Amino acid sequence: MANIEELKRISSQVRRDIVRMVSAAQSGHPGGSLSSADVLTALYFNVMNIDPSNWSRESKGQDIFVLSAGHITPVYYSILSRRGFFPVEELATFRKFGARLQGHPSVEKGLPGITQASGSLGQGLSAAAGVALGKKLDGDASRVYVLCGDGESEEGQIWEAAMFASHHKLNNLIAITDWNGQQIDGTVDAVSGQGDLESKWKAFGWNVIVADGHDFESILDAFDKAKESGELPTMILFKTDMGHGIDFMSGTCKWHGKAPSAEQCEQALAQIEETLGDY
């Protein structure tokens, strides 16, 4: 279990991986990957009960993660490789034809750590809720975690899954929203007028926690509280900054799905400490 200083070092390297992968491929989604890097680092290196050496899609007795916001694979693949699910060097194959590291998570090629194919926004929470119910029926006490986007939460299927999870009292389901306020076309509020997500999730019968998604003490405290949710599923709304850690990417939708040039990649890397060694 990594402590806070170790988590900071890991997340710094993950951000370097993200920028290098997307720049090399000239394709991918850096903005949301950077905003969720700290949360997923904490989840995989401190919070979840997982064993990369004994992983299967069934994951009986182990926690499961589903990436509902399936486009942010740069952060997902970096985290999985740094956690030991597959060699870090494989990150160099990101989005190459025939590679296991496709633009969206796929189970077709058997990449370790990928439980659920995703990418059609709105579907991941439904899949996670189904897995959580299955674990309860099997008497499996492990948990299911799922990461959603705030732009993704405009999808109606998110709220259908929300009703299903609260109705079935899926207290083994811990959902996360990367609440960065941005989506592909602009700010979330400008596109859909989403309003108060905290009140909405409470109205759907969920335990709701709001936390700072770039402060590891706040992140770990939120996950600790989520594990004590009583009979309710939990939604953690992590306040984050799109493109966090790179000044020219921060706080804007412009880098939702835009790859930095080689020069911009070097500018970005100059702002992020190399801590674990680049692949």
Side-chain angles (χ1 to χ4, degrees):
M1 181 182 294
N3 62 35
I4 287 178
E5 289 307 311
E6 290 170 330
L7 294 174
K8 289 179 180 178
R9 289 194 292 271
I10 296 166
S11 66
S12 182
Q13 189 64 53
V14 166
R15 285 192 166 87
R16 288 183 66 88
D17 291 346
I18 291 166
V19 173
R20 295 180 72 240
M21 290 163 65
V22 176
S23 179
Q26 278 300 290
S27 178
H29 297 79
S33 291
L34 292 164
S35 63
S36 59
D38 297 323
V39 170
L40 289 187
T41 296
L43 184 63
Y44 268 88
F45 288 85
N46 183 286
V47 176
M48 282 204 300
N49 171 35
I50 51 172
D51 180 3
S53 68
N54 187 32
W55 180 86
S56 69
R57 284 188 68 195
E58 182 183 356
S59 295
K60 189 170 181 62
Q62 293 190 42
D63 293 339
I64 283 179
F65 173 76
V66 175
L67 180 67
S68 189
H71 54 285
I72 58 169
T73 48
V75 65
Y76 194 20
Y77 294 150
S78 172
I79 292 283
L80 288 175
S81 68
R82 297 290 174 179
R83 187 64 175 83
F85 282 90
F86 57 85
V88 172
E89 292 75 17
E90 193 170 353
L91 296 179
T93 70
F94 176 64
R95 280 186 175 248
K96 289 187 177 180
F97 183 76
R100 298 196 297 178
L101 276 60
Q102 299 181 21
H104 292 79
S106 171
V107 298
E108 178 186 0
K109 295 182 181 294
L111 184 66
I114 306 295
T115 298
Q116 175 68 33
S118 59
S120 296
L121 294 179
Q123 295 182 359
L125 185 59
S126 293
V131 174
L133 180 58
K135 280 186 174 290
K136 277 188 168 291
L137 294 173
D138 285 344
D140 184 343
S142 56
R143 295 182 173 88
V144 180
Y145 294 84
V146 55
L147 173 62
C148 305
D150 51 357
E152 176 188 14
S153 298
E154 297 166 6
E155 300 279 355
Q157 187 170 346
I158 289 286
W159 303 102
E160 293 174 21
M163 289 187 288
F164 176 91
S166 60
H167 174 74
H168 289 283
K169 296 181 172 58
L170 300 181
N171 59 347
N172 59 340
L173 176 62
I174 298 177
I176 303 157
T177 295
D178 181 26
W179 202 3
N180 61 39
Q182 304 287 334
Q183 61 183 91
I184 189 170
D185 293 323
T187 66
V188 175
D189 282 344
V191 173
S192 70
Q194 201 168 61
D196 187 350
L197 276 182
E198 182 179 2
S199 295
K200 282 185 169 70
W201 282 101
K202 286 180 178 178
F204 274 76
W206 285 56
N207 176 46
V208 182
I209 299 165
V210 179
D212 182 341
H214 299 308
D215 180 281
F216 281 109
E217 289 188 4
S218 178
I219 293 169
L220 295 178
D221 180 63
F223 280 123
D224 284 342
K225 290 177 179 175
K227 292 177 180 179
E228 305 297 330
S229 64
E231 293 187 338
L232 303 177
T234 294
M235 169 57 76
I236 308 176
L237 299 170
F238 281 114
K239 285 283 193 177
T240 62
D241 171 39
M242 175 77 93
H244 186 77
I246 301 172
D247 57 8
F248 62 88
M249 292 186 178
S250 177
T252 174
C253 68
K254 294 179 180 179
W255 293 93
H256 167 88
K258 177 182 176 182
S261 66
E263 181 181 0
Q264 289 169 324
C265 179
E266 291 304 315
Q267 292 174 357
L269 292 176
Q271 301 176 41
I272 314 167
E273 183 182 2
E274 181 181 347
T275 55
L276 303 179
D278 290 334
Y279 61 87

